[in-house]
Amino acid sequence: MEKHSVDESSLLSASAVETDYTMKTSSIVSVTKWTLKYVICVIFIAWTTLIFVFPLESVGNLVSKWFNATSGTLFGITGSTFLIFTAPILIIAFLAIVHLIIFGEDHLHNNGEKSSKYPSFKLWTFPVLVNGPFGVVSAAELIGIVLFSAYVIWAFCVYTLRAYGSISDHSSFKAMSMFMLEILGLRLGSIGLFCMAFLFLPVSRGSVILRYIDIPFEHATRYHVWLGHLTMVLFTLHGLFYVIAWAMDGRLIQELLGWVDIGVANLPGVISLLAGLLMWITSLPGVRTWNFELFFYTHQLYVVFVVFLALHVGDFIFAMAAGGIFIFALDRFLRFCQSRRKVDIISSRSLPCGTVELVLSKPQNLRYNALSFIFLQIRELSWLQWHPFSVSSSPLDGKHHLAILIKVLGKWTEELREKVTGVDAQKDLSITASVEGPYGHEVPYHLMYENLVLVAGGIGLSPFLAILSDILHRVREGKPCQPRNILLVWAVKKSNELPLLSTIDMEAMCPFFSDKVNIDIHIYVTRESDPPLEEGYIYKPIKSSFCPVPSGCGMSVLVGTGNNIWSGLYVISSTIGFVVLLGLLDNYYINPFGIYKWWYKGLLFVVCMVASVVIFGGLVIGLWHIWEKKSAMREKSSHIKVDKVEENGSVAPKDLLSQDNASKSTVIRYGSRPEFKAPEQSPFSNLFPPSITAYHRDRQSYTVAVNCLTQPSPFIWAYDTLCIVSKEILELLSEKWGHVDVGVLICGPPTLQTSVAQEIRSQSMTRQGHYPIFHFHSHSFDL
């Protein structure tokens, strides 16, 4: 008995020690996490504050004293400029790497937990501006726009007042005008240079900074567009002011062709500006839509733009904006290395609507989530064109493959469909693919909401298929997963697109899923007044295929969003190599040989930047590649599995509804061509009803609605021209779901995003206290 009591006491003591250790470890981890976040915030605020107050004369004098004091050191003025304007963003990148290495896995393990206990508005998900030149703008984005605008206006006003105060009272009007134009032209250039410090950060697809703040590339692209417009306006005014001043003084040609050794070289600046203007003009929405390839190819002139900018201003001025450019160079070289790999296409097929499905091979340790996307190159079609596509598969569908859906919208996609059709007909044909990515949200936010509304237009259904698959797999496997109520609203032009939904078999993924999660799917066919298919007609079914584990031909893991340790070592080694090369260059070449030419030192600075990425970063990439090959060999030898790629037969609406689950009611209403009045009762008065009534909203056309209730979820086809997500739907969801957070994810054309965002903003402004809070998320982008 005594022995038994002692054993119990020992067990209790051990349990208490273990609990105490767990609590202490958790506290240390939490403190470390918040310390890193705090330090990153402090550095970023200090850096941006310095940029903001730099136009002040007192701050400018302090910086000049700092330059003079450090001019005799190893790195000289260039090192001083690098330290106060470039180093902060690189230090932030280092700290972000540490954060991702230590806490990155927490996102994967805790992505099914609620972000907050009580529903609340969030700056990132509340649409403030809807109709305007910026598209749909959230509250957080509006704050960023206001701050950048305030900085430009503030800096220009301060520089103007300083220039005006230095004009002599005896100066002639011409001399005063020329002086003001040259000074303001100079200051506009410096403002543009600081804007350029941010310009390249959003287009660094796998950037550790974007991953840390969880802004995916498809969202960050619009920030690059905004900053690009602002930067080019400033640089254009910078050049224009100088041109006017030189023309007034009669020395325009002489100055434009000038290339001095000490000071700013004008000719490289002209070349850089011309390259920038060409990129800017071809990136305008009208030109880009008219000829995307023209936009794509001219945008490669960014190399000319950056190199000749360095030649124009010299090394120490260029160092003010070098941080963002260096991070972009890191990402670009890593993408180049990843894209050299030829990727196996496990299966390909063309659906009845013309959409192409490709299933690509990937290694087991290449992670992605249902919100990810990839860039795809088909070498048989073009060696230069890369096109982005959302994944349509969940990472839980299989460890060794990834699927995408491609809609035929242009020449490249049309040729791809013909190629796929040819491969199906002739087995000797092949398709060679290269992939960059996957990229996307660091945290799969679709798992954070208990209630989801998914709004898709056409091929915009693709990421939502991945989301549905991800949720169902998690429900089946008992993994963390918040969503319990899901409404999918899908708008298509014609009914031949409906088989896209059959690319996933929800019942097979999670039998009896309706007991745990409520999924309702509403489909709207907008350009047909009648179901076009005759009774009993089905599309030709496609057999399932089994795909063995690929042998060395999967997607490369050399991606910024890949292994956190290797990607971190790549960034850190390249940065250290950059600093080392600059030190060696100054110590053994520039200072001993008295190199004084500004433009030449600017060129050497760019060479050091590129060489550090290629040499030091390339060494890490080589080791990373060896590690990848060894991991693949271990994976292959330890277990050889077979992933089943679900390829269900594409069927017509009647088959999607299933013969076994007959429709409870089918209501078809035709309207005459003259004016149609909406019925007093809204067609959405019962959001998940056994019957539905279609009505004409604002155009004269015939309307047909077919509502068929199936088990476990209803599929509703409404043939109408009504708005996809109307005020009625959100109001009725408010009454049904109560005071909760509702994630509204949109993937479709800008008009669809605008209409949904407008309704969410309207609901948020007029909501009652017990109604849901709708959170706007866009999963669309336009390069």
Side-chain angles (χ1 to χ4, degrees), residues 44-114:
F44 180 75
I45 292 172
W47 178 54
T48 52
T49 301
L50 175 62
I51 292 175
F52 198 86
V53 301
F54 187 73
L56 294 174
E57 187 173 4
S58 57
V59 176
N61 292 335
L62 287 175
V63 173
S64 297
K65 290 180 180 179
W66 165 257
F67 287 163
N68 293 331
T70 57
S71 60
T73 59
L74 174 62
F75 294 97
I77 298 178
T78 303
S80 303
T81 308
F82 186 92
L83 184 63
I84 61 177
F85 290 113
T86 296
I89 196 65
L90 298 179
I91 294 173
I92 289 174
F94 287 3
L95 295 176
I97 290 168
V98 175
H99 185 277
L100 289 173
I101 291 175
I102 298 176
F103 309 107
E105 295 300 319
D106 289 351
H107 296 318
L108 301 178
H109 293 149
N110 302 327
N111 54 18
E113 299 180 2
K114 285 185 178 180

Coordinates of all heavy atoms in Angstrom, one line a residue, residues 44-114:
F44 N 10.9 49.3 -38.6 CA 10.2 49.8 -39.7 C 9.7 51.2 -39.5 O 9.8 52.1 -40.4 CB 9.0 48.9 -40.0 CG 8.2 49.3 -41.2 CD1 8.6 49.1 -42.5 CD2 7.0 49.9 -41.0 CE1 7.9 49.5 -43.6 CE2 6.2 50.3 -42.1 CZ 6.7 50.1 -43.4
I45 N 9.2 51.5 -38.3 CA 8.7 52.8 -38.0 C 9.8 53.8 -38.0 O 9.7 55.0 -38.6 CB 7.9 52.8 -36.7 CG1 6.6 52.0 -36.8 CG2 7.6 54.3 -36.2 CD1 5.9 51.8 -35.4
A46 N 11.0 53.5 -37.5 CA 12.1 54.4 -37.4 C 12.6 54.6 -38.9 O 12.9 55.8 -39.2 CB 13.2 53.7 -36.6
W47 N 12.6 53.6 -39.7 CA 13.1 53.8 -41.1 C 12.2 54.7 -41.9 O 12.6 55.6 -42.6 CB 13.2 52.4 -41.7 CG 13.6 52.3 -43.2 CD1 14.7 52.9 -43.7 CD2 12.9 51.7 -44.2 NE1 14.7 52.7 -45.1 CE2 13.7 51.9 -45.4 CE3 11.7 50.9 -44.3 CZ2 13.3 51.4 -46.6 CZ3 11.4 50.4 -45.5 CH2 12.1 50.7 -46.7
T48 N 10.9 54.4 -41.8 CA 9.9 55.2 -42.6 C 9.9 56.6 -42.0 O 9.6 57.6 -42.8 CB 8.5 54.6 -42.5 OG1 8.1 54.3 -41.2 CG2 8.5 53.3 -43.3
T49 N 10.0 56.8 -40.7 CA 10.0 58.1 -40.1 C 11.2 59.0 -40.6 O 11.1 60.1 -41.0 CB 10.1 58.1 -38.6 OG1 9.0 57.3 -38.1 CG2 10.1 59.5 -38.0
L50 N 12.4 58.3 -40.7 CA 13.6 59.0 -41.3 C 13.3 59.4 -42.7 O 13.7 60.6 -43.1 CB 14.8 58.1 -41.2 CG 16.1 58.6 -41.9 CD1 16.5 59.9 -41.2 CD2 17.2 57.5 -41.9
I51 N 12.7 58.6 -43.5 CA 12.4 59.0 -44.9 C 11.4 60.1 -44.9 O 11.5 61.0 -45.7 CB 11.8 57.7 -45.6 CG1 12.9 56.7 -45.8 CG2 11.2 58.2 -47.0 CD1 12.4 55.4 -46.5
F52 N 10.4 60.1 -44.0 CA 9.4 61.1 -44.0 C 10.0 62.5 -43.6 O 9.6 63.5 -44.1 CB 8.3 60.7 -43.0 CG 7.0 61.5 -43.2 CD1 6.0 61.0 -44.1 CD2 6.7 62.6 -42.5 CE1 4.9 61.7 -44.3 CE2 5.5 63.3 -42.7 CZ 4.6 62.8 -43.6
V53 N 10.9 62.5 -42.6 CA 11.4 63.8 -42.1 C 12.7 64.2 -42.9 O 13.2 65.3 -42.6 CB 11.7 63.8 -40.6 CG1 10.4 63.4 -39.9 CG2 12.8 62.8 -40.3
F54 N 13.1 63.4 -43.8 CA 14.4 63.7 -44.5 C 14.3 65.1 -45.2 O 15.4 65.7 -45.3 CB 14.7 62.6 -45.5 CG 16.0 62.7 -46.2 CD1 17.2 62.5 -45.5 CD2 16.1 63.1 -47.5 CE1 18.4 62.6 -46.1 CE2 17.4 63.2 -48.1 CZ 18.5 63.0 -47.4
P55 N 13.2 65.5 -45.8 CA 13.2 66.8 -46.5 C 13.5 68.0 -45.6 O 13.8 69.1 -46.1 CB 11.7 66.9 -47.0 CG 11.3 65.5 -47.1 CD 11.9 64.8 -46.0
L56 N 13.3 67.8 -44.2 CA 13.6 69.0 -43.3 C 15.0 69.3 -43.4 O 15.9 68.5 -43.4 CB 13.2 68.6 -41.9 CG 11.7 68.4 -41.7 CD1 11.4 67.9 -40.2 CD2 10.9 69.6 -41.9
E57 N 15.3 70.6 -43.4 CA 16.7 71.1 -43.5 C 17.5 70.6 -42.3 O 18.7 70.2 -42.5 CB 16.7 72.6 -43.5 CG 18.1 73.2 -43.8 CD 18.0 74.7 -44.0 OE1 16.9 75.3 -43.9 OE2 19.1 75.3 -44.3
S58 N 17.0 70.6 -41.1 CA 17.7 70.2 -39.9 C 18.1 68.7 -40.0 O 19.2 68.3 -39.7 CB 16.9 70.4 -38.6 OG 15.6 69.7 -38.7
V59 N 17.2 67.9 -40.5 CA 17.5 66.4 -40.7 C 18.5 66.3 -41.8 O 19.5 65.4 -41.7 CB 16.2 65.6 -41.0 CG1 16.5 64.2 -41.3 CG2 15.2 65.7 -39.9
G60 N 18.4 67.0 -42.9 CA 19.4 66.9 -44.0 C 20.8 67.3 -43.5 O 21.7 66.7 -43.9
N61 N 20.8 68.3 -42.6 CA 22.2 68.7 -42.1 C 22.8 67.6 -41.2 O 24.0 67.4 -41.3 CB 22.0 70.0 -41.3 CG 21.7 71.2 -42.1 OD1 22.0 71.2 -43.3 ND2 21.0 72.2 -41.6
L62 N 21.9 66.9 -40.4 CA 22.4 65.8 -39.6 C 22.9 64.7 -40.4 O 24.0 64.1 -40.2 CB 21.3 65.3 -38.7 CG 20.9 66.2 -37.5 CD1 19.7 65.7 -36.8 CD2 22.1 66.4 -36.5
V63 N 22.2 64.4 -41.5 CA 22.7 63.3 -42.4 C 24.0 63.7 -43.1 O 24.9 62.9 -43.3 CB 21.6 63.0 -43.4 CG1 22.1 62.0 -44.5 CG2 20.3 62.4 -42.8
S64 N 24.1 65.0 -43.5 CA 25.3 65.4 -44.1 C 26.5 65.3 -43.1 O 27.6 64.9 -43.5 CB 25.2 66.9 -44.5 OG 24.2 67.0 -45.5
K65 N 26.3 65.7 -41.9 CA 27.4 65.5 -40.9 C 27.8 64.1 -40.7 O 28.9 63.7 -40.5 CB 26.9 66.1 -39.5 CG 26.7 67.6 -39.5 CD 26.3 68.1 -38.2 CE 26.1 69.6 -38.2 NZ 25.6 70.2 -36.9
W66 N 26.7 63.2 -40.7 CA 27.0 61.7 -40.6 C 27.8 61.3 -41.8 O 28.8 60.5 -41.7 CB 25.7 61.0 -40.6 CG 25.8 59.5 -40.8 CD1 25.4 58.9 -42.0 CD2 26.2 58.5 -39.9 NE1 25.6 57.5 -41.8 CE2 26.1 57.3 -40.6 CE3 26.7 58.5 -38.6 CZ2 26.5 56.1 -40.0 CZ3 27.1 57.3 -38.0 CH2 27.0 56.1 -38.7
F67 N 27.5 61.8 -43.0 CA 28.3 61.4 -44.2 C 29.8 61.9 -44.1 O 30.7 61.2 -44.4 CB 27.7 62.0 -45.4 CG 26.4 61.3 -45.8 CD1 25.5 61.9 -46.7 CD2 26.1 60.0 -45.4 CE1 24.3 61.2 -47.1 CE2 24.9 59.4 -45.7 CZ 24.0 60.0 -46.6
N68 N 29.9 63.1 -43.6 CA 31.3 63.7 -43.5 C 32.1 62.9 -42.5 O 33.3 62.7 -42.7 CB 31.2 65.2 -43.1 CG 30.6 66.0 -44.3 OD1 30.7 65.7 -45.4 ND2 29.9 67.1 -43.9
A69 N 31.4 62.5 -41.4 CA 32.1 61.8 -40.3 C 32.6 60.4 -40.7 O 33.6 59.9 -40.2 CB 31.3 61.7 -39.1
T70 N 31.9 59.8 -41.7 CA 32.2 58.4 -42.1 C 32.8 58.3 -43.4 O 33.0 57.2 -44.0 CB 30.9 57.6 -42.1 OG1 29.9 58.2 -43.0 CG2 30.3 57.5 -40.7
S71 N 33.1 59.5 -44.0 CA 33.7 59.4 -45.4 C 35.0 58.8 -45.5 O 35.4 58.2 -46.5 CB 33.8 60.9 -45.9 OG 34.7 61.7 -45.1
G72 N 35.8 58.8 -44.4 CA 37.1 58.1 -44.4 C 37.1 56.7 -44.0 O 38.2 56.1 -43.9
T73 N 36.0 56.1 -43.7 CA 35.9 54.7 -43.2 C 36.1 53.8 -44.4 O 36.1 54.2 -45.6 CB 34.6 54.5 -42.5 OG1 33.5 54.8 -43.3 CG2 34.5 55.4 -41.2
L74 N 36.0 52.5 -44.1 CA 36.2 51.4 -45.1 C 35.2 51.6 -46.2 O 35.5 51.5 -47.4 CB 36.2 50.0 -44.5 CG 36.2 48.9 -45.5 CD1 37.5 48.8 -46.2 CD2 36.0 47.6 -44.7
F75 N 33.9 51.7 -45.9 CA 32.8 51.7 -46.8 C 32.5 53.1 -47.3 O 31.8 53.3 -48.3 CB 31.6 51.1 -46.3 CG 31.7 49.6 -46.0 CD1 32.0 49.1 -44.7 CD2 31.6 48.7 -47.0 CE1 32.2 47.8 -44.5 CE2 31.7 47.3 -46.8 CZ 32.0 46.9 -45.5
G76 N 33.0 54.2 -46.6 CA 32.8 55.5 -47.1 C 31.4 56.0 -47.0 O 30.6 55.4 -46.3
I77 N 31.0 57.0 -47.8 CA 29.7 57.5 -47.8 C 28.7 56.5 -48.3 O 27.6 56.4 -47.8 CB 29.6 58.8 -48.7 CG1 30.6 59.9 -48.2 CG2 28.2 59.3 -48.8 CD1 30.6 61.1 -49.0
T78 N 29.1 55.6 -49.2 CA 28.2 54.6 -49.7 C 27.8 53.7 -48.6 O 26.6 53.3 -48.5 CB 28.9 53.8 -50.8 OG1 29.3 54.6 -51.9 CG2 28.0 52.7 -51.4
G79 N 28.7 53.3 -47.7 CA 28.4 52.5 -46.6 C 27.5 53.2 -45.6 O 26.6 52.5 -45.0
S80 N 27.7 54.5 -45.4 CA 26.8 55.2 -44.5 C 25.4 55.3 -45.0 O 24.4 55.1 -44.3 CB 27.4 56.6 -44.3 OG 28.7 56.6 -43.8
T81 N 25.3 55.6 -46.3 CA 23.9 55.6 -46.9 C 23.3 54.2 -46.9 O 22.1 54.1 -46.5 CB 24.1 56.0 -48.4 OG1 24.8 57.2 -48.5 CG2 22.7 56.2 -49.0
F82 N 24.1 53.2 -47.1 CA 23.6 51.8 -47.1 C 23.1 51.5 -45.7 O 22.0 50.9 -45.5 CB 24.7 50.9 -47.5 CG 24.3 49.4 -47.6 CD1 23.8 48.9 -48.8 CD2 24.3 48.6 -46.5 CE1 23.4 47.6 -48.9 CE2 23.9 47.3 -46.6 CZ 23.5 46.8 -47.8
L83 N 23.8 52.0 -44.7 CA 23.5 51.6 -43.3 C 22.1 52.2 -42.8 O 21.4 51.6 -42.1 CB 24.6 52.1 -42.4 CG 24.4 51.7 -40.9 CD1 24.4 50.2 -40.7 CD2 25.6 52.4 -40.1
I84 N 21.9 53.5 -43.2 CA 20.7 54.1 -42.7 C 19.5 54.0 -43.6 O 18.3 54.2 -43.1 CB 20.9 55.6 -42.4 CG1 21.3 56.4 -43.7 CG2 22.0 55.8 -41.3 CD1 21.5 57.9 -43.5
F85 N 19.7 53.7 -44.9 CA 18.5 53.6 -45.8 C 18.2 52.2 -46.3 O 17.1 51.9 -46.7 CB 18.7 54.6 -47.0 CG 18.6 56.0 -46.6 CD1 19.7 56.8 -46.7 CD2 17.4 56.6 -46.2 CE1 19.7 58.2 -46.4 CE2 17.3 57.9 -45.9 CZ 18.5 58.7 -45.9
T86 N 19.2 51.3 -46.4 CA 19.1 50.0 -47.0 C 19.1 48.9 -45.9 O 18.3 48.0 -45.9 CB 20.1 49.7 -48.0 OG1 19.9 50.6 -49.1 CG2 20.0 48.3 -48.5
A87 N 20.0 49.1 -44.9 CA 20.2 48.1 -43.9 C 18.9 47.8 -43.1 O 18.6 46.6 -42.8 CB 21.3 48.5 -42.9
P88 N 18.0 48.8 -42.8 CA 16.8 48.5 -42.0 C 15.9 47.5 -42.6 O 15.4 46.5 -42.0 CB 16.1 49.9 -41.9 CG 17.2 50.9 -42.0 CD 18.2 50.3 -42.9
I89 N 15.7 47.6 -43.9 CA 14.8 46.6 -44.6 C 15.4 45.2 -44.6 O 14.7 44.2 -44.6 CB 14.4 47.1 -46.0 CG1 13.2 46.3 -46.6 CG2 15.6 47.0 -47.0 CD1 11.9 46.6 -45.8
L90 N 16.8 45.1 -44.7 CA 17.4 43.8 -44.7 C 17.4 43.2 -43.3 O 17.3 42.0 -43.2 CB 18.9 44.0 -45.2 CG 19.0 44.5 -46.7 CD1 20.5 44.6 -47.0 CD2 18.3 43.5 -47.6
I91 N 17.6 44.1 -42.3 CA 17.5 43.6 -40.9 C 16.1 43.0 -40.6 O 15.9 42.0 -40.0 CB 17.8 44.7 -39.9 CG1 19.3 45.1 -40.1 CG2 17.5 44.2 -38.5 CD1 19.7 46.3 -39.2
I92 N 15.1 43.7 -41.2 CA 13.7 43.3 -41.0 C 13.5 41.9 -41.7 O 12.8 41.0 -41.2 CB 12.7 44.3 -41.6 CG1 12.6 45.5 -40.8 CG2 11.3 43.7 -41.8 CD1 11.8 46.7 -41.3
A93 N 14.1 41.7 -42.8 CA 14.1 40.4 -43.5 C 14.7 39.3 -42.7 O 14.2 38.2 -42.6 CB 14.8 40.6 -44.9
F94 N 15.9 39.7 -42.1 CA 16.5 38.7 -41.2 C 15.6 38.3 -40.0 O 15.5 37.1 -39.7 CB 17.9 39.2 -40.7 CG 19.0 39.3 -41.7 CD1 18.8 39.0 -43.0 CD2 20.2 39.8 -41.3 CE1 19.8 39.1 -43.9 CE2 21.2 39.9 -42.2 CZ 21.0 39.5 -43.5
L95 N 15.0 39.2 -39.4 CA 14.2 39.0 -38.2 C 12.9 38.2 -38.7 O 12.4 37.3 -38.0 CB 13.8 40.2 -37.5 CG 14.9 41.0 -36.9 CD1 14.4 42.3 -36.3 CD2 15.6 40.2 -35.8
A96 N 12.4 38.5 -39.9 CA 11.3 37.8 -40.4 C 11.6 36.3 -40.7 O 10.8 35.4 -40.5 CB 10.8 38.5 -41.7
I97 N 12.9 36.1 -41.1 CA 13.3 34.7 -41.3 C 13.3 33.9 -40.0 O 12.8 32.8 -39.9 CB 14.7 34.7 -41.9 CG1 14.7 35.2 -43.4 CG2 15.3 33.3 -41.9 CD1 16.0 35.5 -44.0
V98 N 13.8 34.6 -39.0 CA 13.9 33.9 -37.6 C 12.4 33.6 -37.2 O 12.1 32.5 -36.7 CB 14.6 34.8 -36.6 CG1 14.5 34.2 -35.2 CG2 16.0 35.0 -37.0
H99 N 11.5 34.6 -37.4 CA 10.1 34.4 -37.0 C 9.5 33.2 -37.7 O 8.8 32.4 -37.1 CB 9.4 35.7 -37.3 CG 8.0 35.7 -36.8 ND1 6.9 35.1 -37.5 CD2 7.4 36.1 -35.6 CE1 5.8 35.2 -36.8 NE2 6.0 35.8 -35.7
L100 N 9.8 33.1 -39.0 CA 9.2 32.0 -39.8 C 9.7 30.7 -39.5 O 9.0 29.7 -39.4 CB 9.4 32.3 -41.3 CG 8.5 33.5 -41.9 CD1 9.0 33.7 -43.3 CD2 7.1 33.1 -41.9
I101 N 11.1 30.7 -39.2 CA 11.7 29.4 -38.8 C 11.1 28.9 -37.5 O 10.8 27.7 -37.3 CB 13.2 29.5 -38.7 CG1 13.8 29.7 -40.2 CG2 13.9 28.3 -38.1 CD1 15.3 30.0 -40.2
I102 N 11.0 29.8 -36.5 CA 10.6 29.4 -35.2 C 9.1 29.1 -35.1 O 8.6 28.2 -34.5 CB 11.0 30.4 -34.1 CG1 12.5 30.6 -34.1 CG2 10.4 30.1 -32.7 CD1 13.0 31.7 -33.2
F103 N 8.3 30.0 -35.8 CA 6.8 30.0 -35.6 C 6.1 29.6 -36.9 O 4.9 29.6 -36.9 CB 6.3 31.3 -35.1 CG 7.1 31.8 -33.9 CD1 7.9 32.9 -34.0 CD2 6.9 31.2 -32.6 CE1 8.6 33.3 -32.9 CE2 7.6 31.7 -31.5 CZ 8.5 32.7 -31.6
G104 N 6.8 29.3 -37.9 CA 6.1 29.1 -39.2 C 5.2 27.9 -39.1 O 4.1 27.9 -39.7
E105 N 5.6 26.8 -38.4 CA 4.8 25.6 -38.3 C 3.5 25.9 -37.5 O 2.6 25.1 -37.6 CB 5.6 24.5 -37.7 CG 6.7 24.0 -38.6 CD 6.3 23.5 -40.0 OE1 5.2 22.8 -40.0 OE2 6.9 23.9 -41.0
D106 N 3.6 26.9 -36.6 CA 2.4 27.2 -35.8 C 1.2 27.5 -36.7 O 0.0 27.2 -36.4 CB 2.6 28.4 -34.9 CG 3.6 27.9 -33.7 OD1 3.9 26.7 -33.7 OD2 4.0 28.8 -33.0
H107 N 1.5 28.2 -37.8 CA 0.4 28.6 -38.8 C -0.3 27.3 -39.3 O -1.5 27.2 -39.5 CB 0.9 29.4 -39.9 CG 1.5 30.7 -39.5 ND1 0.8 31.5 -38.5 CD2 2.6 31.4 -39.9 CE1 1.5 32.6 -38.4 NE2 2.6 32.6 -39.1
L108 N 0.5 26.3 -39.6 CA 0.0 25.1 -40.2 C -0.8 24.3 -39.2 O -1.8 23.6 -39.5 CB 1.2 24.2 -40.8 CG 2.0 24.9 -41.8 CD1 3.1 24.0 -42.2 CD2 1.2 25.3 -43.0
H109 N -0.3 24.3 -37.9 CA -1.0 23.5 -36.9 C -2.2 24.2 -36.3 O -3.2 23.5 -35.9 CB 0.0 23.2 -35.8 CG 1.1 22.3 -36.2 ND1 2.4 22.3 -35.7 CD2 1.2 21.3 -37.2 CE1 3.2 21.4 -36.2 NE2 2.5 20.8 -37.2
N110 N -2.2 25.5 -36.3 CA -3.3 26.2 -35.7 C -4.2 26.9 -36.7 O -4.9 27.8 -36.3 CB -2.7 27.3 -34.7 CG -1.8 26.7 -33.7 OD1 -2.1 25.5 -33.2 ND2 -0.8 27.4 -33.2
N111 N -4.1 26.6 -38.0 CA -4.9 27.3 -38.9 C -6.4 27.0 -38.9 O -7.1 27.6 -39.6 CB -4.4 27.0 -40.4 CG -4.3 25.5 -40.7 OD1 -4.9 24.7 -40.0 ND2 -3.5 25.1 -41.7
G112 N -6.8 26.1 -38.0 CA -8.2 25.8 -37.9 C -8.8 26.5 -36.7 O -10.0 26.4 -36.4
E113 N -8.0 27.3 -36.0 CA -8.5 28.0 -34.8 C -8.9 29.4 -35.1 O -8.4 30.1 -36.0 CB -7.4 28.1 -33.7 CG -6.9 26.7 -33.3 CD -5.8 26.8 -32.2 OE1 -5.4 28.0 -31.9 OE2 -5.3 25.8 -31.8
K114 N -9.9 29.8 -34.4 CA -10.5 31.2 -34.6 C -9.4 32.2 -34.3 O -8.7 32.1 -33.3 CB -11.7 31.4 -33.8 CG -12.9 30.7 -34.2 CD -14.1 31.1 -33.4 CE -15.4 30.4 -33.9 NZ -16.6 30.8 -33.1

